[in-house]
Each structure stands twice: as C-alpha cells, then as structure tokens.
C-alpha cells in the first residue's frame, strides 16, 4: 500500500507521524541520498550519520513541503541533505588552504574509456580523498549544478575562490585517474 503512494500523500502521512509512511520515505530515497552523502564525506560511517541526520531533518520539516510536480519530494529532501552536508563541513571548520600538488600539468585529460575502467567505488574514493573545500566545491559545481556565485554564498568564499578550488580539484582528480589507469598508484 505505502509503496504505491504518490508524493503528496506520502508527505502528508509522514507529517502525521505515520511510521510506515516514514519507513517508505526512507526506503524510497535512502540509496540516492546515501550516494549524495558519500560524495561529501570521507567515509561510509560519516555518510550514514549524515544520511540519518538529513532524514530526521526532513521528517521534522515535512509539513512545510509544497508539492510542485513529480520528483519534487526527492528534490526537497535532496536540498535538505546538501545543506546538512555543507553544515557538516562548516562544523569541521573547513579550511581553505591553497595546495600546490607539485605536478606538472602535462598529464592528459582523462578520456571516456579511461573513466570507464574505474569502478564507482574507486571514483567515490578518489573524490572523498580531495581536501574538504575542494570536495565541497567539486560536488556542488560538477554534480549538483550550482554556479560559482551560489557556491561562494553557501561556503562564504569568493567566486574566484570557488573557481580556483574547482580547478585544483579537477587537476587532482585528473592525476589520480591517470595513475589508476596507468597502474602507477
């Protein structure tokens, strides 16, 4: 019964503290949200904590959810989760430190065939190894689709700082992918 609920009814029942509806909400979105959390954290344990915190925040605020079409419930919970991830980064006193990777930029851009050789878990590990600031900017820009202006506002940095961190993140990712594909890591 609960699996067949549309988003407005699921949200309404969750706001009425219906435990089965709340379990359905978790079941429906937890995998996607965990993947999102994993991109912003260093390890699975921290990602699970972040996921749990995000679901609790969403359930506490679900009465404010406004349905605006198919997928809007997931988009709403996703936004709460991204904000929780950013709060988590800020809580750990995100330090924006310039890192010189001491690598020349002679490494070619990865080709689609290179990236296809890398497992999803390897890719998550590569992203999670980025310094917090670079990881946050990379996720927000490349995956979540925010502009540098929006990222700057969210993280309290300049737009140029956001662009600079993205460039450094991409350079570091390029090096790691190159090393994996060429088995020198």
């Amino acid at each position: 019964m609960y699996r067949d609920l549309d988003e407005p009814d699921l949200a309404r029942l969750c706001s009425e503290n219906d435990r089965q509806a709340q379990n359905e909400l978790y079941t429906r979105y937890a995998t996607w949200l965990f993947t999102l959390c994993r991109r912003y954290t260093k390890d699975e344990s921290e990602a699970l904590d972040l996921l749990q915190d995000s679901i609790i925040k969403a359930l506490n605020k679900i009465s404010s959810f406004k349905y605006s079409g198919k997928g809007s419930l997931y988009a709403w919970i996703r936004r709460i989760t991204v904000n929780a991830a950013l709060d988590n980064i800020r809580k750990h006193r995100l330090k924006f430190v310039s890192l010189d990777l001491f690598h020349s930029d002679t490494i070619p851009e990865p080709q689609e065939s290179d990236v296809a050789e890398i497992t999803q878990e390897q890719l998550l590990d590569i992203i999670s190894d980025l310094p917090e600031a670079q990881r946050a900017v990379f996720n927000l820009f490349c995956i979540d689709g925010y502009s540098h202006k929006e990222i700057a506002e969210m993280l309290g940095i300049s737009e140029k700082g956001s662009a600079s961190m993205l460039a450094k993140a991409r350079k570091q990712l390029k090096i790691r992918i190159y090393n994996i594909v060429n088995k020198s890591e």
Side-chain angles (χ1 to χ4, degrees):
M1 172 189 157
Y2 285 88
R3 260 188 265 150
D4 298 329
L5 286 173
D6 61 10
E7 293 175 333
D9 288 336
L10 180 61
R12 180 183 49 77
L13 289 171
C14 285
S15 71
E16 294 170 359
N17 290 320
D18 182 313
R19 294 289 179 218
Q20 288 181 313
Q22 292 172 342
N23 285 335
E24 174 58 26
L25 181 123
Y26 180 85
T27 300
R28 201 176 281 189
Y29 301 121
T31 301
W32 293 337
L33 295 173
F34 175 76
T35 301
L36 186 149
C37 292
R38 184 68 177 88
R39 287 189 285 113
Y40 283 91
T41 59
K42 275 287 201 192
D43 59 45
E44 286 189 27
S45 173
E46 190 177 354
L48 284 170
D49 289 344
L50 183 58
L51 171 64
Q52 183 177 3
D53 291 347
S54 299
I55 294 289
I56 290 168
K57 284 179 185 178
L59 288 172
N60 287 335
K61 296 177 178 183
I62 196 123
S63 60
S64 68
F65 168 70
K66 303 287 186 243
Y67 182 74
S68 61
K70 187 174 171 127
S72 61
L73 181 58
Y74 172 69
W76 181 79
I77 294 173
R78 187 177 188 282
R79 178 67 182 178
I80 289 171
T81 305
V82 168
N83 287 336
L86 295 176
D87 288 344
N88 185 51
I89 290 169
R90 284 186 210 103
K91 183 175 78 178
H92 289 101
R93 299 188 189 270
L94 180 66
K95 294 180 182 170
F96 295 98
V97 178
S98 177
L99 296 176
D100 185 355
L101 298 175
F102 301 108
H103 289 281
S104 66
D105 204 14
T106 59
I107 294 175
E109 289 294 323
Q111 300 300 308
E112 208 172 303
S113 59
D114 295 336
V115 177
E117 291 183 35
I118 299 173
T119 67
Q120 183 177 5
E121 193 57 39
Q122 283 177 308
L123 194 54
L124 280 174
D125 287 343
I126 292 169
I127 293 170
S128 71
D129 284 343
L130 290 170
E132 277 187 321
Q134 291 178 17
R135 185 173 62 240
V137 171
F138 176 81
N139 283 318
L140 289 167
F141 187 87
C142 295
I143 299 171
D144 297 324
Y146 291 101
S147 69
H148 285 299
K149 182 177 181 179
E150 292 167 318
I151 295 168
E153 290 171 5
M154 285 186 230
L155 298 178
I157 59 174
S158 69
E159 287 182 53
K160 286 184 180 183
S162 175
S164 174
M165 279 186 262
L166 177 62
K168 289 175 184 175
R170 283 182 167 163
K171 181 177 180 181
Q172 192 166 345
L173 292 171
K174 178 172 73 167
I175 291 165
R176 291 286 308 276
I177 290 169
Y178 178 84
N179 288 339
I180 289 171
V181 170
N182 292 294
K183 313 289 188 254
S184 52
E185 197 170 89

